[in-house]
Amino acid sequence: MQAMVPAEMQGRVLSVGRGLAWAAMPLGLAVAGPLSDIFGLRLWWVAGGLGMSVLGIAGRLTPGIANLEGRRQNQEAADLRAALEPTL
């Protein structure tokens, strides 16, 4: 994420991401506790692992996410060409 966010915005963007992650922890525990009591801890771990696997595969198959780094490199190359063009 740091490579995609301009330097002057990194503090704000990363602090929002960290705040959302910290806020999600108690919410996740509030959901996971009762569900593990109802369905059992083993089933909850398997379901969580499968869910994370599905999300990972979906992210890898989504072109906008899978090519995120390539788009940045293409944009940097275009910016460099545009900066050098007037001098050529």
Side-chain angles (χ1 to χ4, degrees):
M1 183 184 310
Q2 290 176 338
M4 301 295 297
V5 177
E8 63 274 3
M9 295 294 294
Q10 283 185 2
R12 293 182 189 112
V13 171
L14 295 174
S15 67
V16 167
R18 183 174 293 151
L20 290 173
W22 278 91
M25 284 186 223
L27 296 175
L29 289 172
V31 171
L35 286 177
S36 66
D37 286 341
I38 294 169
F39 297 110
L41 191 56
R42 181 171 296 171
L43 180 62
W44 181 244
W45 277 98
V46 170
L50 288 174
M52 293 302 295
S53 296
V54 167
L55 287 175
I57 291 168
R60 180 66 181 114
L61 296 177
T62 303
I65 296 172
N67 299 325
L68 193 60
E69 189 67 22
R71 287 190 303 174
R72 183 182 66 83
Q73 291 172 350
N74 290 341
Q75 182 61 43
E76 288 175 353
D79 292 345
L80 182 59
R81 281 193 302 275
L84 293 176
E85 198 169 271
T87 62
L88 296 176

